[in-house]
Coordinates of all heavy atoms in Angstrom, one line a residue:
M1 N -61.3 2.8 -55.6 CA -62.2 3.7 -54.8 C -62.4 3.2 -53.6 O -62.5 1.9 -53.3 CB -63.6 3.8 -55.7 CG -64.4 4.8 -54.9 SD -65.8 5.2 -56.2 CE -67.1 5.3 -55.0
S2 N -62.4 3.9 -52.5 CA -62.5 3.5 -51.2 C -63.9 3.1 -50.8 O -64.9 3.5 -51.5 CB -62.0 4.5 -50.2 OG -62.8 5.6 -50.2
I3 N -64.0 2.1 -49.9 CA -65.4 1.6 -49.6 C -66.1 2.7 -48.8 O -67.4 3.0 -49.0 CB -65.3 0.4 -48.8 CG1 -64.7 -0.7 -49.7 CG2 -66.6 -0.1 -48.2 CD1 -64.4 -2.1 -49.1
A4 N -65.4 3.2 -47.8 CA -66.0 4.2 -46.8 C -65.6 5.6 -47.2 O -64.5 5.8 -47.6 CB -65.7 3.9 -45.4
K5 N -66.5 6.6 -47.0 CA -66.2 7.9 -47.2 C -65.1 8.4 -46.2 O -65.2 8.0 -45.1 CB -67.3 8.8 -47.2 CG -68.2 8.9 -48.4 CD -69.3 9.9 -48.3 CE -70.2 10.0 -49.5 NZ -71.2 10.9 -49.4
T6 N -64.2 9.3 -46.7 CA -63.2 9.9 -45.6 C -63.9 10.8 -44.8 O -64.6 11.7 -45.3 CB -62.1 10.6 -46.4 OG1 -61.5 9.6 -47.3 CG2 -61.1 11.1 -45.5
H7 N -63.7 10.7 -43.5 CA -64.4 11.5 -42.5 C -63.7 12.9 -42.4 O -62.5 13.0 -42.7 CB -64.4 10.8 -41.1 CG -65.3 11.6 -40.2 ND1 -64.9 12.6 -39.3 CD2 -66.6 11.4 -39.8 CE1 -65.9 13.0 -38.6 NE2 -67.0 12.2 -38.9
E8 N -64.5 14.0 -42.2 CA -63.8 15.2 -42.1 C -62.7 15.4 -41.2 O -61.7 16.1 -41.4 CB -65.0 16.3 -41.7 CG -64.6 17.8 -41.9 CD -64.2 18.4 -40.7 OE1 -64.5 18.0 -39.5 OE2 -63.5 19.3 -40.8
I9 N -62.7 14.7 -40.0 CA -61.5 14.8 -39.0 C -60.3 14.2 -39.7 O -59.3 14.7 -39.3 CB -62.0 14.1 -37.8 CG1 -61.0 14.4 -36.7 CG2 -61.9 12.6 -37.9 CD1 -61.5 14.2 -35.3
H10 N -60.5 13.2 -40.5 CA -59.2 12.7 -41.2 C -58.6 13.7 -42.1 O -57.3 13.8 -42.2 CB -59.5 11.4 -41.9 CG -59.9 10.3 -41.0 ND1 -61.2 9.8 -40.9 CD2 -59.0 9.6 -40.1 CE1 -61.2 8.9 -40.0 NE2 -60.0 8.7 -39.5
R11 N -59.4 14.5 -42.8 CA -58.8 15.5 -43.7 C -58.2 16.7 -42.8 O -57.1 17.1 -43.3 CB -60.0 16.2 -44.5 CG -60.5 15.3 -45.6 CD -61.4 16.0 -46.6 NE -62.6 16.6 -45.9 CZ -63.7 16.0 -45.7 NH1 -63.9 14.7 -46.2 NH2 -64.8 16.6 -45.2
R12 N -58.7 17.0 -41.8 CA -58.1 17.9 -40.9 C -56.7 17.4 -40.3 O -55.8 18.2 -40.3 CB -59.0 18.3 -39.7 CG -59.9 19.5 -40.0 CD -60.4 20.1 -38.8 NE -61.8 19.8 -38.5 CZ -62.5 19.9 -37.3 NH1 -61.8 20.3 -36.3 NH2 -63.7 19.5 -37.2
R13 N -56.8 16.3 -39.9 CA -55.6 15.6 -39.3 C -54.6 15.6 -40.4 O -53.3 15.9 -40.0 CB -55.9 14.2 -38.7 CG -54.8 13.7 -38.0 CD -55.1 12.3 -37.4 NE -56.2 12.5 -36.5 CZ -57.1 11.4 -36.1 NH1 -56.9 10.2 -36.8 NH2 -58.1 11.7 -35.2
F14 N -54.8 15.2 -41.6 CA -53.9 15.1 -42.7 C -53.3 16.4 -42.9 O -52.0 16.7 -43.1 CB -54.5 14.6 -43.9 CG -53.6 14.6 -45.2 CD1 -52.6 13.7 -45.2 CD2 -53.7 15.6 -46.1 CE1 -51.8 13.7 -46.3 CE2 -52.8 15.6 -47.2 CZ -51.8 14.7 -47.2
G15 N -54.1 17.5 -42.9 CA -53.7 18.9 -43.1 C -52.7 19.3 -41.9 O -51.7 19.9 -42.3
R16 N -53.0 18.9 -40.9 CA -52.1 19.3 -39.6 C -50.9 18.6 -39.8 O -49.7 19.1 -39.5 CB -52.8 19.0 -38.4 CG -52.1 19.5 -37.1 CD -52.9 19.2 -35.9 NE -54.3 19.4 -36.0 CZ -55.3 18.6 -35.5 NH1 -54.9 17.6 -34.7 NH2 -56.5 18.7 -35.7
N17 N -50.9 17.3 -40.1 CA -49.6 16.5 -40.3 C -48.7 17.0 -41.3 O -47.6 17.0 -41.3 CB -50.0 15.0 -40.6 CG -50.6 14.3 -39.2 OD1 -50.5 14.8 -38.1 ND2 -51.2 13.3 -39.5
L18 N -49.4 17.4 -42.6 CA -48.7 18.0 -43.5 C -47.9 19.3 -43.2 O -46.7 19.5 -43.5 CB -49.6 18.2 -44.8 CG -48.9 18.7 -46.0 CD1 -48.0 17.6 -46.5 CD2 -50.0 19.0 -47.0
G19 N -48.6 20.0 -42.4 CA -48.0 21.3 -41.9 C -46.7 21.1 -41.0 O -45.7 21.6 -41.1
V20 N -46.9 20.1 -40.1 CA -45.9 19.7 -39.2 C -44.7 19.1 -40.0 O -43.5 19.5 -39.6 CB -46.3 18.7 -38.1 CG1 -45.1 18.1 -37.3 CG2 -47.3 19.4 -37.1
A21 N -45.0 18.3 -41.0 CA -43.9 17.8 -41.7 C -43.1 18.8 -42.6 O -41.9 18.8 -42.6 CB -44.5 16.7 -42.7
L22 N -43.9 19.8 -43.1 CA -43.2 20.9 -43.8 C -42.3 21.8 -42.9 O -41.3 22.1 -43.3 CB -44.2 21.8 -44.5 CG -45.0 21.1 -45.8 CD1 -46.1 22.0 -46.1 CD2 -43.9 20.7 -46.8
L23 N -42.8 21.9 -41.7 CA -42.0 22.7 -40.7 C -40.7 22.0 -40.4 O -39.7 22.6 -40.2 CB -42.8 23.1 -39.4 CG -43.8 24.3 -39.6 CD1 -44.7 24.2 -38.3 CD2 -43.1 25.4 -39.9
L24 N -40.8 20.7 -40.1 CA -39.6 19.8 -39.9 C -38.7 19.8 -41.0 O -37.5 20.0 -40.8 CB -40.2 18.4 -39.6 CG -39.1 17.5 -39.1 CD1 -38.4 17.9 -37.8 CD2 -39.7 16.0 -39.0
V25 N -39.1 19.7 -42.2 CA -38.3 19.7 -43.3 C -37.6 21.2 -43.5 O -36.3 21.2 -43.8 CB -39.1 19.4 -44.7 CG1 -38.2 19.8 -45.9 CG2 -39.4 18.0 -44.7
A26 N -38.3 22.2 -43.2 CA -37.8 23.5 -43.2 C -36.7 23.6 -42.2 O -35.5 24.2 -42.4 CB -38.8 24.6 -43.1
F27 N -36.9 23.2 -40.9 CA -36.0 23.2 -39.9 C -34.6 22.4 -40.3 O -33.6 22.9 -40.0 CB -36.6 22.7 -38.6 CG -35.5 22.6 -37.4 CD1 -35.3 23.9 -36.8 CD2 -35.1 21.4 -37.0 CE1 -34.4 23.7 -35.7 CE2 -34.2 21.5 -36.0 CZ -33.8 22.6 -35.2
I28 N -34.8 21.3 -40.8 CA -33.6 20.4 -41.1 C -32.9 21.1 -42.3 O -31.7 21.2 -42.3 CB -34.1 19.0 -41.5 CG1 -34.6 18.3 -40.4 CG2 -32.9 18.4 -42.4 CD1 -35.4 16.9 -40.7
A29 N -33.5 21.8 -43.2 CA -32.9 22.5 -44.3 C -32.1 23.7 -43.8 O -31.0 24.0 -44.2 CB -33.9 23.0 -45.4
V30 N -32.7 24.4 -42.7 CA -31.9 25.6 -42.1 C -30.7 25.0 -41.4 O -29.6 25.6 -41.6 CB -32.9 26.3 -41.2 CG1 -32.1 27.4 -40.4 CG2 -33.9 27.0 -42.0
M31 N -30.8 24.0 -40.6 CA -29.7 23.4 -39.9 C -28.6 22.9 -40.8 O -27.4 23.2 -40.7 CB -30.1 22.3 -39.1 CG -31.0 22.7 -37.8 SD -30.1 23.8 -36.7 CE -30.9 25.4 -37.0
F32 N -29.0 22.3 -42.0 CA -28.1 21.9 -42.9 C -27.3 23.0 -43.6 O -26.1 23.0 -43.7 CB -28.8 21.0 -43.9 CG -27.8 20.4 -45.1 CD1 -26.9 19.4 -44.8 CD2 -27.8 21.0 -46.3 CE1 -26.1 18.9 -45.6 CE2 -27.0 20.5 -47.2 CZ -26.2 19.4 -46.9
G33 N -28.2 24.1 -44.0 CA -27.5 25.2 -44.5 C -26.6 25.8 -43.7 O -25.5 26.4 -44.1
L34 N -26.8 26.1 -42.4 CA -25.9 26.6 -41.4 C -24.6 25.8 -41.3 O -23.6 26.3 -41.1 CB -26.6 26.9 -40.2 CG -27.7 27.9 -40.0 CD1 -28.4 27.8 -38.6 CD2 -27.1 29.3 -40.3
T35 N -24.9 24.5 -41.2 CA -23.7 23.6 -41.1 C -22.6 23.8 -42.4 O -21.5 23.9 -42.2 CB -24.2 22.1 -41.0 OG1 -25.0 22.0 -39.9 CG2 -22.8 21.3 -40.8
V36 N -23.3 23.7 -43.5 CA -22.6 23.8 -44.8 C -21.9 25.3 -44.8 O -20.6 25.4 -45.2 CB -23.5 23.8 -46.0 CG1 -22.7 24.1 -47.4 CG2 -23.9 22.2 -46.1
A37 N -22.5 26.3 -44.3 CA -21.8 27.6 -44.4 C -20.7 27.7 -43.5 O -19.7 28.2 -43.7 CB -22.9 28.6 -44.0
K38 N -20.9 27.1 -42.3 CA -19.8 27.1 -41.3 C -18.6 26.4 -41.8 O -17.5 26.6 -41.7 CB -20.3 26.6 -39.9 CG -19.2 26.3 -38.9 CD -19.7 26.8 -37.6 CE -18.6 26.8 -36.6 NZ -17.9 27.8 -36.3
V39 N -18.9 25.2 -42.4 CA -17.7 24.3 -42.8 C -17.0 25.0 -44.1 O -15.8 25.0 -44.2 CB -18.2 22.8 -43.1 CG1 -17.2 22.2 -43.9 CG2 -18.6 22.2 -41.8
S40 N -17.8 25.5 -45.0 CA -17.2 26.0 -46.2 C -16.7 27.4 -46.2 O -16.2 28.0 -46.9 CB -18.3 26.0 -47.3 OG -19.4 27.0 -47.0
D41 N -16.7 28.1 -44.9 CA -16.3 29.4 -44.7 C -14.7 29.3 -44.7 O -14.1 30.3 -44.9 CB -16.9 29.9 -43.4 CG -16.5 31.3 -43.1 OD1 -16.1 32.0 -44.0 OD2 -16.6 31.8 -42.0
G42 N -14.2 28.3 -44.3 CA -12.7 28.1 -44.3 C -12.1 28.4 -42.8 O -11.0 28.1 -42.5
T43 N -13.1 28.8 -41.9 CA -12.5 29.1 -40.5 C -12.8 27.8 -39.6 O -12.5 28.0 -38.5 CB -13.2 30.4 -40.0 OG1 -14.6 30.2 -40.0 CG2 -12.8 31.5 -40.9
F44 N -13.4 26.9 -40.2 CA -13.8 25.8 -39.2 C -12.5 25.0 -38.9 O -11.6 24.7 -39.8 CB -14.7 24.7 -40.1 CG -15.1 23.5 -39.3 CD1 -15.9 23.6 -38.4 CD2 -14.4 22.3 -39.6 CE1 -16.3 22.5 -37.5 CE2 -14.8 21.2 -38.9 CZ -15.7 21.2 -37.8
T45 N -12.3 24.8 -37.7 CA -11.2 23.8 -37.2 C -11.8 22.8 -36.4 O -12.5 23.0 -35.6 CB -10.3 24.7 -36.4 OG1 -10.8 25.4 -35.3 CG2 -9.5 25.7 -37.3
P46 N -11.3 21.6 -36.6 CA -11.9 20.4 -35.8 C -11.3 20.6 -34.4 O -10.3 21.2 -34.1 CB -11.3 19.2 -36.5 CG -10.4 19.6 -37.6 CD -10.4 21.1 -37.7
P47 N -12.0 20.0 -33.4 CA -11.6 20.1 -32.1 C -10.2 19.5 -31.8 O -9.9 18.4 -32.5 CB -12.7 19.3 -31.3 CG -13.7 18.8 -32.3 CD -13.3 19.3 -33.7
H48 N -9.5 20.0 -31.0 CA -8.2 19.5 -30.6 C -8.3 18.2 -30.0 O -9.0 18.1 -28.8 CB -7.4 20.5 -29.9 CG -6.0 20.0 -29.5 ND1 -5.0 19.8 -30.4 CD2 -5.4 19.6 -28.3 CE1 -4.0 19.3 -29.8 NE2 -4.2 19.3 -28.4
Q49 N -7.5 17.1 -30.3 CA -7.6 15.9 -29.7 C -6.3 15.7 -28.8 O -5.2 16.0 -29.3 CB -7.6 14.7 -30.6 CG -8.9 14.6 -31.3 CD -9.0 13.5 -32.3 OE1 -8.0 12.8 -32.5 NE2 -10.1 13.2 -32.9
E50 N -6.5 15.4 -27.5 CA -5.4 15.3 -26.6 C -4.8 14.0 -26.7 O -5.3 13.0 -27.1 CB -5.8 15.5 -25.1 CG -6.7 16.6 -25.0 CD -6.2 17.4 -23.7 OE1 -5.4 17.0 -23.0 OE2 -6.8 18.5 -23.4
G51 N -3.4 14.2 -26.6 CA -2.6 12.8 -26.8 C -2.1 12.4 -28.2 O -1.5 11.5 -28.3
T52 N -2.4 13.3 -29.1 CA -1.9 13.0 -30.5 C -0.9 14.0 -31.0 O -0.9 15.2 -30.6 CB -3.1 13.0 -31.5 OG1 -3.8 14.2 -31.5 CG2 -4.0 11.9 -31.2

């Protein structure tokens, strides 16, 4: 059990941080999904390298 009570501003800050974290995870999931869809489509071609 904690010695001091949690202040109300800390609960609000935690809620905001949790919201930002969930948005970041959702953004990463969308980018990963788009990348997988592009690669698994079969039309993906790696960039041409000059000199080879």
